[in-house]
């Protein structure tokens, strides 16, 4: 049995049935992302992904800052070879391999790497004070963890260009308008809203949820023809599961499904 990981920069809990919560905990640094905190985040996500009692994951920070960017002090003396070697700071592919849905609960600053890690989540619930931006240009660099790619897919080329080239920040309402977030709620309610959404997702068949997340994510990578074929493959796969039989039987019998997650 795997030993329980220990963390220094995040807090991990299960606030509701089926929900794993990861809270960034570097308050003095406004939850700035460095190699250690990103490694801890991904390790916690992987642990929740393996846990059969968890159906969805929530990632959050504080009311003041989700994550105010990367830790510039750590990056200042890093060279190109080190960055290209795939250190914990740059290897965010670990997060892309998480099969369960991840919901970002964002309040305050979500800048630079903070905006990028929020966009790598599957859904975003924002508080009214949330602020999204990619200010890397002011440091003489560019976003390196998906900011130029995921942001453009979410808000369109024009807005992404302005954010990346001129340090434009999006308010929570603008982020909602441009399709970057799912909804905007009050500061005292955004985390509970994210947990409630995670709990609803966790109440579904985990295997159906995994294959659905997988199919939706492929829409960003494949042509329509290829995407439709991929969707059909996942659709057919679910017809070989116990949960598909149970879900359809429960519907016909007008009762709640008892998922076995297989």
């Amino acid at each position: 049995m795997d030993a329980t990981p220990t963390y220094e920069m995040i807090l991990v809990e299960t606030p509701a049935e089926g929900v794993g919560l990861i809270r960034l905990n570097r308050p003095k640094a406004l939850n700035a992302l460095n190699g250690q905190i990103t490694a801890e985040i991904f390790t916690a996500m992987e642990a929740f992904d393996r846990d059969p009692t968890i159906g969805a994951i929530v990632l959050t920070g504080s009311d003041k800052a989700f994550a105010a960017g990367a830790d510039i002090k750590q990056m200042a003396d890093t060279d190109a070879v080190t960055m290209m070697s795939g250190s914990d700071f740059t290897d965010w592919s670990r997060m892309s391999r998480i099969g369960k849905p991840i919901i970002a609960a964002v309040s305050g600053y979500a800048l630079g790497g903070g905006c990028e890690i929020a966009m790598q989540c599957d859904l975003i619930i924002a508080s009214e004070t949330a602020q999204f931006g990619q200010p890397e240009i002011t440091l003489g660099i560019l976003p390196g963890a998906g900011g130029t790619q995921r942001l453009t897919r979410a808000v369109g080329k024009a807005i992404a260009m302005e954010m990346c080239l001129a340090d434009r920040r999006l308010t929570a309402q603008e982020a909602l308008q441009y399709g970057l977030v799912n909804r905007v709620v009050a500061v005292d309610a955004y985390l509970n809203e994210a947990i409630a959404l995670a709990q609803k997702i966790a109440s579904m068949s985990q295997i159906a949820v995994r294959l659905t997340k997988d199919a939706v994510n492929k829409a960003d990578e494949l042509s329509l023809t290829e995407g439709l074929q991929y969707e059909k493959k996942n659709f057919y796969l679910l017809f070989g599961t116990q949960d598909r039989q149970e879900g359809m039987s429960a519907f016909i019998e007008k009762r709640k499904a008892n998922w076995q997650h297989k």
Side-chain angles (χ1 to χ4, degrees), residues 168-197:
R168 175 177 175 179
R169 311 287 174 87
L170 294 186
T171 65
Q173 289 297 334
E174 287 175 325
L176 180 65
Q177 174 187 346
Y178 294 124
L180 184 61
V181 306
N182 291 77
R183 67 193 68 144
V184 177
V185 296
V187 175
D188 61 0
Y190 77 99
L191 181 55
N192 287 337
E193 184 86 1
I195 291 171
L197 178 57

Side-chain angles (χ1 to χ4, degrees), residues 3-253:
T4 303
T6 57
Y7 305 111
E8 296 179 358
M9 294 187 176
I10 62 172
L11 302 174
V12 176
E13 58 183 295
T14 52
E17 183 178 359
V19 178
L21 174 64
I22 301 169
R23 189 189 301 269
L24 281 63
N25 189 35
R26 295 188 72 201
K28 292 182 179 179
L30 296 179
N31 294 327
L33 301 175
N34 61 16
Q36 181 177 347
I37 194 171
T38 53
E40 290 186 8
I41 291 167
F42 303 151
T43 298
M45 287 182 176
E46 289 162 353
F48 279 139
D49 205 32
R50 293 190 299 268
D51 187 339
T53 69
I54 298 298
I57 301 166
V58 174
L59 178 66
T60 194
S62 67
D63 291 349
K64 184 177 181 180
F66 175 73
D71 191 328
I72 306 304
K73 292 180 181 178
Q74 183 187 27
M75 295 178 67
D77 296 324
T78 303
D79 59 33
V81 173
T82 301
M83 296 298 283
M84 292 175 66
S85 68
S87 64
D88 286 337
F89 191 81
T90 57
D91 186 17
W92 285 27
S93 62
R94 291 174 65 187
M95 187 170 168
S96 67
R97 294 192 289 270
I98 302 299
K100 294 174 182 176
I102 307 168
I103 302 170
V106 176
S107 187
Y109 299 114
L111 306 177
C115 185
E116 288 172 308
I117 203 168
M119 290 191 294
Q120 197 165 349
C121 296
D122 302 296
L123 305 103
I124 302 177
I125 303 298
S127 85
E128 294 170 330
T129 66
Q131 184 181 133
F132 298 87
Q134 299 289 166
E136 287 87 350
I137 194 73
T138 66
L139 301 173
I141 58 174
L142 58 81
T148 64
Q149 303 302 302
R150 291 190 178 91
L151 186 63
T152 303
R153 285 168 168 78
V155 304
K157 178 181 175 181
I159 301 301
M161 278 290 190
E162 190 173 0
M163 292 176 70
C164 292
L165 293 178
D167 189 21
R168 175 177 175 179
R169 311 287 174 87
L170 294 186
T171 65
Q173 289 297 334
E174 287 175 325
L176 180 65
Q177 174 187 346
Y178 294 124
L180 184 61
V181 306
N182 291 77
R183 67 193 68 144
V184 177
V185 296
V187 175
D188 61 0
Y190 77 99
L191 181 55
N192 287 337
E193 184 86 1
I195 291 171
L197 178 57
Q199 194 170 20
K200 183 174 183 179
I201 293 170
S203 72
M204 309 297 180
S205 161
Q206 285 190 25
I207 188 168
V209 166
R210 277 181 177 271
L211 289 178
T212 301
K213 168 179 169 170
D214 177 50
V216 173
N217 280 335
K218 287 297 180 183
D220 278 339
E221 303 171 15
L222 303 175
S223 68
L224 178 59
T225 299
E226 293 169 327
L228 289 171
Q229 291 173 341
Y230 195 91
E231 176 190 79
K232 191 165 291 186
K233 174 185 71 71
N234 283 9
F235 178 70
Y236 291 157
L237 282 173
L238 288 171
F239 274 76
T241 66
Q242 293 180 24
D243 280 357
R244 191 278 307 175
Q245 287 183 306
E246 168 62 14
M248 292 187 175
S249 295
F251 178 83
I252 293 168
E253 296 165 12

